[in-house]
Amino acid sequence: MTELPSDGVAWAMLALAAALVGFSKTGINGTASLSILLFATVLPAKESTGALLPVLIIADLFAIRFYSRHVEWRVLGRLAPWVVVGTALGAVVLWFVDDTFMRLLIGAILLAMLGLQVWNRLRPKAVDPKPPSGLARRSAAAGAGVAAGATTMTANAAGPVMVLYLMLSGFPKLKFLGTMAWFFFAVNLFKVPFSVGLGLISWHTLLMAALLIPAIAVGALTGRTVAHRVNQQQFELATLALSAVGAGLLIVSSATS
């Protein structure tokens, strides 16, 4: 990115996107998918991923401030090595592969995971259900970690992956938000050297993120208010619905690009 946008409409779209990022981090996850599309509308597709990354990191800091006491460190430990693998794969994809096909694949995977979550909620529950085996937990962590790393590197779109993984794990609302906050803060910081190496982050993208801090703050404060006012069932349904919308938007954007 060599220069900042010069017209008011572009800045209004970027401010809306930044507010949605803040809201997604501290409230109902899933709205960040629209932010991806708004940034890609204002900026060239690949440059938009680098421009959005500092905005995501700033929003992560708000989420950590609000939910730092509610985090499941064991889950993050299981995911960490697989996220590294997925991020490296995503960097290779960005270098060699057309991202239109990648977005289509990501959207299809997310919709499949959503279907799994809906099936899990609707199927009859066993009277005395057996907890998942250690192998099942490790396999789920491996799949979610690689998918999250790859999708966040290629399109900043790992949110729906983690939404579905943590919901399948049965996380309550605040622990869900706290674990998501620390996960994405660590992952987004890890992505910075890759993005710099690919030429996706510059002083202009950092300046843009700084100018968007007020919009991020408005979204984050609104998200926290909403999160504390909805119950667990409402939170899960809204999060799943917005994740489905995000997956659909990725597929539509790939089909029309």
Side-chain angles (χ1 to χ4, degrees), residues 63-64 67-77 166 171-184:
I64 288 173
Y67 305 117
S68 60
R69 294 177 298 166
H70 309 281
V71 57
E72 185 59 64
W73 294 108
R74 289 177 298 177
V75 169
L76 297 182
L166 294 182
F171 274 41
K173 178 175 61 176
L174 293 181
K175 185 172 286 189
F176 173 95
L177 290 167
T179 303
M180 288 278 281
W182 277 103
F183 173 84
F184 279 108

Side-chain angles (χ1 to χ4, degrees), residues 23 30 63 147 208 212 217 254 257:
F23 181 84
M208 176 186 291
L212 291 173
S254 67
S257 61

